[in-house]
Amino acid sequence: MRSSNHLIGVLNFLTFLLSIPILGGGIWLSSRANNTDCLKFLQWPLIIIGISIMVVSLAGFAGACYRNTFLMWAYLFVMFFIIAALLGFIIFAYVVTDKGSGRPLTNRAYSDYYLQDYSGWLKDRVASDSYWHKIGSCIRDSKVCGKMGRTKNGVPETADTFFSRKLSSIESGCCKPPTECGFTYVNETLWSSSGGAVYSTDCNTWNNDQQQLCYSCNSCKAGLLANLRKSWRKVSVINIVILIILVIAYVVGCAAFRNNRRIDNDEPYGEARMTKSQPSRIHL
């Protein structure tokens, strides 16, 4: 079992390195929160978990290398809660992003997004008027819709060219009216409602004012949810890999901890733990 200390040291060093992607994932979500995702609380649990894994991995590494029983005990105690927290975060991320996706359209490369396709806590939070006011302002300030414009020789792209573009969920939901409205394309963020089959709330909400567009539409809320779902799923894949490695490191860490206690108690490896209560009698 002496090799367990070396193995746990290697695993903790590897875990320390792999905690960097977790921290990076949190920072990436934070950067998106300031641009397109606009939800500024989701990244903090991931950042805290990433930093915690870094610190605990160093403690476990030191405990294994120097056979420090206290550090190993502290490592195992704290790592248990980190593993539980990471597992809880992964489950939470999958549960709240379980439902919802874009609806494919005929003769369109992009999809349309509908709020009724989503459900659960995240949808209720995003769709609430008080919270959406901040999110809508964040999306507008990111100027994502203003960046959609494309011209050729000073002329806006044609409708057929626009329809063949693969728009992001934010662009599709917030920067143009839903396709069902039947509006006529003028440019990426300017549509004529003449002759349109207006029969939904979002069709009436759409406004060609570049400061309004469809930022208050349910399709914009659905587009944001689709964007969050995509971001969270990417980060969760990394988290699952890290979780598996953490569990392996934890199991080996338990073995290393027992090995350290055996050495502290001066117990030779393989010593029998059972002794006979009475010496054997020799029968003549």
Side-chain angles (χ1 to χ4, degrees):
M1 189 63 72
R2 293 182 183 275
S3 61
S4 63
N5 280 312
H6 300 289
L7 182 56
I8 192 61
V10 172
L11 284 174
N12 274 281
F13 181 70
L14 179 61
T15 303
F16 174 81
L17 294 179
L18 291 177
S19 68
I20 297 175
I22 291 185
L23 186 59
I27 295 174
W28 179 68
L29 287 177
S30 179
S31 66
R32 292 182 67 83
N34 294 323
N35 292 287
T36 55
D37 287 352
C38 291
L39 245 60
K40 300 183 178 181
F41 69 94
L42 302 174
Q43 72 277 8
W44 290 114
L46 206 57
I47 291 176
I48 293 173
I49 290 173
I51 294 175
S52 300
I53 291 175
M54 281 187 172
V55 174
V56 174
S57 295
L58 289 176
F61 182 80
C65 291
Y66 296 101
R67 293 199 294 272
N68 187 304
T69 303
F70 173 77
L71 283 179
M72 288 299 299
W73 179 87
Y75 159 79
L76 293 173
F77 180 79
V78 178
M79 184 60 75
F80 175 82
F81 291 100
I82 291 178
I83 291 174
L86 185 58
L87 177 61
F89 183 85
I90 292 172
I91 294 175
F92 173 77
Y94 272 94
V95 168
V96 299
T97 60
D98 180 50
K99 296 182 179 179
S101 60
R103 297 184 186 179
L105 302 169
T106 304
N107 299 323
R108 301 288 191 276
Y110 52 80
S111 300
D112 272 359
Y113 297 85
Y114 294 85
L115 190 59
Q116 58 265 33
D117 293 341
Y118 297 83
S119 62
W121 170 84
L122 188 59
K123 176 214 171 183
D124 295 338
R125 183 174 180 85
V126 168
S128 64
D129 293 336
S130 59
Y131 205 70
W132 182 254
H133 178 72
K134 299 177 182 179
I135 298 175
S137 298
C138 173
I139 295 175
R140 181 175 58 251
D141 294 342
S142 70
K143 303 186 184 302
V144 62
C145 295
K147 298 174 183 177
M148 288 178 59
R150 293 182 182 178
T151 60
K152 186 175 182 180
N153 298 324
V155 179
E157 64 181 0
T158 64
D160 290 338
T161 303
F162 177 76
F163 296 153
S164 64
R165 287 174 59 178
K166 293 183 178 181
L167 305 179
S168 70
S169 58
I170 297 291
E171 293 172 337
S172 178
C174 305
C175 305
K176 68 170 189 60
T179 304
E180 65 181 8
C181 298
F183 291 173
T184 303
Y185 172 87
V186 179
N187 64 36
E188 294 84 356
T189 57
L190 187 63
W191 298 71
S192 172
S193 61
S194 59
V198 180
Y199 57 87
S200 75
T201 302
D202 283 354
C203 298
N204 294 324
T205 303
W206 167 262
N207 195 310
N208 282 321
D209 185 340
Q210 299 300 296
Q211 294 300 312
Q212 298 186 42
L213 298 179
C214 220
Y215 295 128
S216 298
C217 296
N218 286 332
S219 63
C220 189
K221 299 173 184 178
L224 176 71
L225 288 170
N227 217 41
L228 287 171
R229 184 177 189 272
K230 184 178 180 180
S231 299
W232 279 31
R233 290 299 173 92
K234 287 181 178 179
V235 172
S236 292
V237 171
I238 299 175
N239 289 343
I240 290 173
V241 175
I242 299 297
L243 179 64
I244 293 173
I245 296 176
L246 285 178
V247 171
I248 294 174
Y250 187 82
V251 171
V252 179
C254 290
F257 179 70
R258 289 195 298 268
N259 186 45
N260 286 344
R261 292 192 64 180
R262 180 181 58 78
I263 294 174
D264 290 342
N265 294 331
D266 294 325
E267 298 176 7
Y269 180 69
E271 179 183 41
R273 296 182 177 273
M274 297 181 63
T275 58
K276 297 180 180 180
S277 59
Q278 295 181 354
S280 299
R281 295 183 179 178
I282 300 176
H283 298 280
L284 298 177

